[in-house]
Every structure is written in structure tokens, then in C-alpha cells.
């Protein structure tokens, strides 16, 4: 009986400590225009959280199509899916923009092993995009461990005939994990270019992640200006395997590492950007673009990268229609093709826009995963940066506190101009690199509510950009 009484009292205490009401915006502090904005933003969030479509769209895209690397059958199917789903939303017009894209294929599953103290260890490994294959029998060589491109260059001809192992981990003291990624990714992208010049036999790279696990992370690599005869096979090994290999190399610096991969680059393939729009009611010649990339790496289902960005971008248009918000400017949704290994879709979209003398006033990209919304990064002139930052009081009740100057996104980046306001959607980044470019990037890793909050967040800032962006005359920074 005493235990029941204590449990009862504890329950009363917990509920008494909980906030009684949700924190909301004090409308008494708002102008009449801001009160209208606050009401519309609330409606966008309410609709996304009670009648959103993004989660089921994502289920369909990831479960029924899956991986969508440019040039692949999955990518082709995703274009058909994208056009169909845009038409179902009821956009005023939907069309496909042809674009030729790279076509790299992984081939058979990669193999990696080494032996130490008479024990063979199997290593989780995956080829990096655009890497060449190993010989059919694989390659076997001693390993040189380095932590940077500079350290590798310093080795010079000592690399000849060796496998170079780049093992610089993420800086876990950085709260923004994209900064940690940026601090490491050069070894993945340029490692083979540096080492191939000096006759290395191959390159293996620690996976780009904060996590210590057994999932190797793929991603693009480049040979730069190296002649074809100096191209060398390049692969990523899992972070846990990297730690173990590093320890084993200290015990036996002469151990030999073996890996085999059968990837190849095929001729460019035809593909498309998928484009749809709601025509502006007042200034249709002004275009606000919102989008993500339709392609994904081939190991998983492309859920966080970038299925979430695709469905959130379309849901912006859906939420406008659902709430009978008629944009003043044309609202254009773009599913870009080939962000992962070429950005051909982005470049083609920008080139066609210039050719057609289109006038973009702003853009928003979602390509940072589908986790809890935190805010937006702003790439704009001083006047419009300050304008967007003035909306913090309208957005902060929804957890959107970050409105900082920064980059926007790889796909809308080619539209950059001093009079074009570009914005990147920024969810919480702590879990993103657990999934990025891995077989683990699957639908079940996406939280429905977080995804829908992201859609509403994007719709809200697009609503504000549409309402106010050209109320101010942009000036040079």
C-alpha cells in the first residue's frame, strides 16, 4: 500500500512540474501583418501534423523504388514516380527537364581481409563512386596509415606499391556535424588523386561518420587531372574497422591488406529533373524554387539522403494548396537529378533558367536529413539576410531558432546572385552521419513527426519569402 501511495504522489509531482500550456507567440507584440502571418504559419503546421502526405510519399519512394543512383533503373523509376506524384498534388504545370548524367555501377559486392597473428579479419568495405575496379584477382599490399592529404604527399615515392589508409576521424567536439564532415571529406574525394601520382597501389579511407559501427560509407571520389594509367582503386572501410586496422598496424606494420571490387563507369545516361509549379497570382514572372535531389547512393534506400528533402519540398506546395494560400510569386518545386556524383541536374536547371531569361528571386533546398527542425542557413545580400532574420519571432515558437548566414545547397547554388536569396533547411545534425551514404539509410530511420515538422518549417519560410522578399529593394552587400 505504501508503494502505491508513493507511486501516486510521484505521478502527481511529475504532472505538477510539467508545463500546463504550450509556449506560443504573444500576438499582442505583433503588427497586424505579423498576426496574419502567425495565423497562416500555425495553419501550415497544423495541416502538416494532422494531414501531411510526406511520410507516405517517402514510404512509397524508398520501399517501392529504393536506391536511385543516376543512370540506374531506380533513378529512371523515380522520375516517373516524381512526375506522377506532382500531378496528383494538382500543381498548375508539371514537366521533365532532360539531362545527361554519369552512370557508375558498383558491380559485385566488395571483399576486404587481412591476417594478423594467423587470424584472418574480414573488413566491411565499399567502393567509392567513380573509382575504378581492382584487377579481377584483387590487390594485396602493405598499408601506410596517414591522417591527411599533406601527410600522404610527404611520403612521396614511399607510397609506391602500397595501399594508403586515410584515417582522420570526425572532430567530435564540433556540434555541427556537417562541419566535422567538411573537415574530413577531402581525404575521401582527393586521396586517390594524391596517392596515384606517386604509384600507390590503392587507397582505403575511414568512413565519414561520427558513429563507430560496421557500416562503410560510400561517396564520390575524383582522380583530378591524373592520367588513366595512374588511376587506382579506392574504397571506404567502416569506422570500427578503421580503428581495429590502426591498432593492428601498430602491432604489425608489415601486415598486408587485400581488397577486391568490380565497379566501373559506363557512358553517360539520359535522365531528367522533375519540375512542377503553382503559378504566381500577382508577379508570376518571379520564381521561388524549393527542392531536393531525387538521386541517391546505391547502398540503401536514400531515405534521409535525400528522400526526405524530396517529399518535404513537394509538401510545401501541398500545404499551400491545402490552406488555400495563393503565392504571389510562382512557387516551383524541383526534384534535381545527379546531386550525389555530378550535380548535372542543378547545372542544367540553372543553364535553362538563364537561357529562358527566368527571374528567380529565391530558393530553398532540403538536403540535410529529416530530423528535428532547427532553422535555416541564409545565403543572401545584407538587406535580405536581415529581412529573413527578422522573422525569428514568428518561427521560434516552432523550434526554428537558427537563422544564420551560411551556405544553401548544392542544387540551388548555381542560381546564386546578389539579388537571389538562397536558403538551406537545417534540421538537427547529430544522427545524420549515422546513415549518410550507407546501407543503413532506410525508411525506418525516419521519424514521421520530425519529417512533417520539417515540411511545415519549409512551407513557413517560403510563405514569408513569398510575402515579403520583394517588399524590400535588394542592395549589394
Amino acid at each position: 500500500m505504501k508503494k502505491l501511495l508513493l507511486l501516486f504522489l510521484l505521478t502527481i509531482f511529475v504532472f505538477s512540474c510539467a508545463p500546463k500550456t504550450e509556449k506560443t507567440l504573444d500576438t499582442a507584440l505583433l503588427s497586424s501583418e505579423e498576426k496574419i502571418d502567425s495565423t497562416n504559419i500555425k495553419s501550415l503546421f497544423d495541416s502538416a501534423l494532422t494531414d501531411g502526405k510526406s511520410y507516405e510519399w517517402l514510404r512509397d519512394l524508398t520501399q517501392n523504388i529504393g536506391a536511385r543512383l543516376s543512370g540506374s533503373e531506380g533513378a529512371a523509376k523515380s522520375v516517373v514516380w516524381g512526375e506522377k506524384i506532382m500531378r496528383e498534388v494538382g500543381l498548375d504545370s508539371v514537366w521533365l527537364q532532360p539531362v545527361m548524367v554519369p552512370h557508375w555501377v558498383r558491380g559485385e559486392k566488395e571483399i576486404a581481409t587481412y591476417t594478423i597473428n594467423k587470424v584472418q579479419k574480414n573488413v566491411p568495405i565499399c567502393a567509392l563512386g567513380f573509382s575504378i575496379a581492382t584487377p579481377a584477382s584483387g590487390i594485396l599490399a602493405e598499408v601506410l596509415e596517414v591522417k591527411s592529404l599533406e601527410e600522404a604527399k610527404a611520403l612521396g615515392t614511399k607510397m609506391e606499391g602500397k595501399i594508403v589508409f586515410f584515417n582522420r576521424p570526425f572532430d567530435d567536439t564540433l556540434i555541427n556535424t556537417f562541419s566535422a564532415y567538411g573537415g574530413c571529406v577531402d581525404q575521401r574525394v582527393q586521396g586517390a588523386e594524391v596517392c596515384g601520382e606517386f604509384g600507390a597501389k590503392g587507397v582505403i579511407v575511414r568512413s565519414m561518420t561520427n558513429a563507430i559501427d560496421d557500416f562503410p560509407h560510400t561517396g564520390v571520389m575524383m582522380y583530378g587531372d591524373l592520367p588513366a594509367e595512374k588511376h587506382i582503386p579506392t574504397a571506404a572501410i567502416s569506422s570500427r574497422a578503421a580503428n581495429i586496422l590502426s591498432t593492428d598496424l601498430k602491432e604489425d606494420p608489415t601486415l598486408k591488406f587485400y581488397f577486391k571490387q568490380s565497379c566501373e563507369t559506363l557512358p553517360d545516361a539520359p535522365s531528367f529533373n522533375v519540375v512542377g509549379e503553382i503559378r504566381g497570382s500577382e508577379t508570376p514572372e518571379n520564381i521561388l524554387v524549393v527542392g531536393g535531389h531525387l538521386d541517391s547512393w546505391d547502398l540503401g534506400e536514400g531515405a534521409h539522403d535525400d528522400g526526405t528533402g524530396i517529399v518535404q519540398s513537394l509538401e510545401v506546395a501541398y500545404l499551400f494548396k491545402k490552406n488555400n494560400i495563393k503565392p504571389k510569386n510562382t512557387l516551383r518545386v524541383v526534384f534535381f537529378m545527379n546531386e550525389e556524383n555530378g550535380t548535372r541536374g542543378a547545372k542544367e536547371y540553372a543553364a535553362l533558367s538563364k537561357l529562358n531569361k527566368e527571374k528567380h528571386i529565391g530558393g530553398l533546398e532540403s538536403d540535410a536529413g529529416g530530423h528535428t527542425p532547427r532553422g535555416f542557413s541564409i545565403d543572401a545580400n545584407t538587406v535580405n539576410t536581415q529581412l529573413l532574420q527578422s522573422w525569428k519571432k514568428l518561427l521560434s515558437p516552432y523550434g526554428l531558432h537558427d537563422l544564420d548566414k551560411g551556405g544553401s545547397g548544392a542544387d540551388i547554388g548555381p542560381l546564386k546572385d546578389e539579388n537571389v536569396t538562397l536558403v538551406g533547411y537545417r534540421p538537427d545534425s547529430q544522427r545524420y552521419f549515422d546513415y549518410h551514404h550507407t546501407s543503413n539509410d532506410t525508411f525506418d530511420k525516419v521519424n514521421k513527426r520530425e519529417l512533417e515538422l520539417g515540411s511545415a518549417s519549409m512551407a513557413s519560410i517560403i510563405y514569408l519569402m513569398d510575402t515579403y522578399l520583394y517588399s524590400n529593394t535588394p542592395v549589394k552587400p
Side-chain angles (χ1 to χ4, degrees), residues 197-217:
E197 178 66 34
F198 294 100
K201 201 168 185 178
V203 162
I204 54 175
V205 182
R206 180 190 186 93
S207 284
M208 300 291 109
T209 179
N210 298 91
I212 304 300
D213 59 27
D214 296 317
F215 294 98
H217 293 232

Side-chain angles (χ1 to χ4, degrees), residues 99-120:
V99 58
M100 295 297 291
V101 296
H103 189 190
W104 178 86
V105 294
R106 184 169 301 279
E108 297 176 1
K109 184 172 175 56
E110 304 88 342
I111 299 170
T113 63
Y114 66 90
T115 300
I116 184 168
N117 297 327
K118 299 182 180 179
V119 176
Q120 180 174 294

Side-chain angles (χ1 to χ4, degrees), residues 31 72 75 183 218 246 294 320 337 353 392 394 439:
S31 66
S72 69
T218 192
S246 182
L294 192 53
F320 268 60
M337 182 56 71
S353 176
K392 187 170 183 178
L394 291 166
S439 60

Side-chain angles (χ1 to χ4, degrees), residues 59 90 95 100 128 134 148 153 187 204 222 225-226 236 255 259 273 275 292 297 299 345 367 373 384 403 433:
R59 185 196 303 274
W95 67 97
M100 295 297 291
L128 294 178
T134 61
S148 68
K153 289 175 185 176
Q187 59 192 333
I204 54 175
M222 297 178 182
D225 295 326
L226 281 182
L255 72 78
F259 75 105
N273 294 326
V275 187
W297 281 105
L299 295 180
D367 185 18
N384 285 338
L403 289 168
F433 290 100

